[in-house]
Amino acid sequence: MIKTGFAVAIDGPVGVGKSTTARIVAENLGMTYIDTGAMYRAVALFCLERGINLHDGLAVGSALTDIEIHLRLMGGLQRVYLRDGDKRRDITTDIRTQVISEGASVVAAHQAVRDKLVSQQKQLAATGRVVMDGRDIGSQVLPWAQVKIYLDASTDIRTRRRVLDLEAKGLPAEFEKVRQETIIRDERDKNRANSPLIRTPDAIYIDTGDMRPDEVVEKIVNIIKLKEAF
């Protein structure tokens, strides 16, 4: 596939603020934001609704033939649509629960899921100017990306952010429970056999622990502008 675009890959662990940061960076620079995590969440939602065991790679892989995931930018926000047979519905809100978040991490470990979604993600980023976030963007999806960023923060800081996010959505959130889920998620993402979460040697590391969201955005925007200037 010929790459004629300009891509920014933003990777990092759960709860570090990748999606929000990537979306605002894209908006500030007039780029297209692609939320890859939403695609894995869509697969998890589809399987859970049909009683498919998320840990059964063969069953999940077989279900992929019935799934079509579409991302659409509407009013500056990305909407996620799932087509199942002849039906197409907006699942943007449905996939933003803790259960689906955990499920996404499970299905993302299956090679069949990664093969299908990574192929689609590469096509989306082949042309144009895009900002894409996830866990293997710089290492697997867009190894050719002109800018690679790795966001990080301590477990406790990421847990607090996740709790606040869930509470803002009116969802229950106990700090210790969310903390344990974060630790388990980190272990699964970093140690899975298929495309684990890693920081590539050419990725710029940013510890967001002591930074405001706008400071993180400004830092990345300046990095991109400098890169595009050359």
Side-chain angles (χ1 to χ4, degrees):
M1 182 183 297
I2 298 175
K3 289 85 175 178
T4 59
F6 184 93
V8 178
I10 300 180
D11 291 300
V14 63
V16 78
K18 297 185 301 296
S19 296
T20 300
T21 299
R23 177 177 56 79
I24 298 175
V25 166
E27 289 176 358
N28 287 355
L29 295 174
M31 303 176 76
T32 299
Y33 167 54
I34 302 173
D35 179 3
T36 64
M39 300 171 76
Y40 291 99
R41 286 169 178 263
V43 173
L45 175 69
F46 179 90
C47 291
L48 286 172
E49 288 182 339
R50 283 151 188 79
I52 297 172
N53 183 350
L54 301 187
H55 295 274
D56 187 338
L58 290 177
V60 174
S62 296
L64 293 177
T65 58
D66 300 322
I67 301 175
E68 284 187 27
I69 302 166
H70 301 276
L71 306 179
R72 295 286 184 272
L73 191 64
M74 300 177 63
L77 297 176
Q78 180 178 266
R79 308 299 297 182
V80 185
Y81 295 89
L82 177 66
R83 182 182 294 279
D84 175 10
D86 296 330
K87 298 179 181 179
R88 182 171 180 267
R89 61 190 173 108
D90 187 332
I91 59 170
T92 305
T93 301
D94 298 337
I95 60 175
R96 296 301 172 183
T97 68
Q98 188 68 3
V99 171
I100 297 301
S101 178
E102 289 298 310
S105 179
V106 175
V107 300
H110 301 315
Q111 190 63 52
V113 176
R114 302 208 71 83
D115 287 346
K116 179 183 178 71
L117 298 189
V118 168
S119 176
Q120 186 174 346
Q121 292 158 11
K122 287 183 176 181
Q123 291 176 3
L124 290 171
T127 60
R129 299 170 67 244
V130 304
V131 179
M132 186 179 291
D133 74 286
R135 287 168 179 74
D136 64 343
I137 308 304
S139 60
Q140 299 293 326
V141 183
L142 304 178
W144 56 272
Q146 289 88 348
V147 175
K148 296 181 184 180
I149 304 292
Y150 189 94
L151 299 181
D152 204 0
S154 71
T155 301
D156 283 352
I157 288 176
R158 290 186 287 122
T159 298
R160 283 197 292 272
R161 291 173 178 171
R162 182 60 180 158
V163 167
L164 290 174
D165 182 54
L166 290 170
E167 290 177 342
K169 296 175 181 176
L171 300 172
E174 297 178 11
F175 182 87
E176 191 54 38
K177 184 174 184 294
V178 174
R179 185 176 187 279
Q180 289 305 311
E181 290 171 345
T182 300
I183 292 173
I184 292 172
R185 181 74 178 270
D186 285 347
E187 287 298 312
R188 183 187 299 135
D189 290 343
K190 292 178 180 179
N191 297 309
R192 67 191 182 203
N194 302 319
S195 304
L197 167 65
I198 62 171
R199 174 193 172 194
T200 60
D202 55 345
I204 298 173
Y205 182 88
I206 301 177
D207 187 332
T208 67
D210 294 324
M211 300 177 69
R212 300 191 311 272
D214 62 301
E215 292 176 325
V216 178
V217 169
E218 181 180 10
K219 185 177 183 68
I220 295 175
V221 165
N222 289 336
I223 291 171
I224 295 170
K225 286 181 177 179
L226 183 61
K227 186 67 176 181
E228 284 195 301
F230 291 92

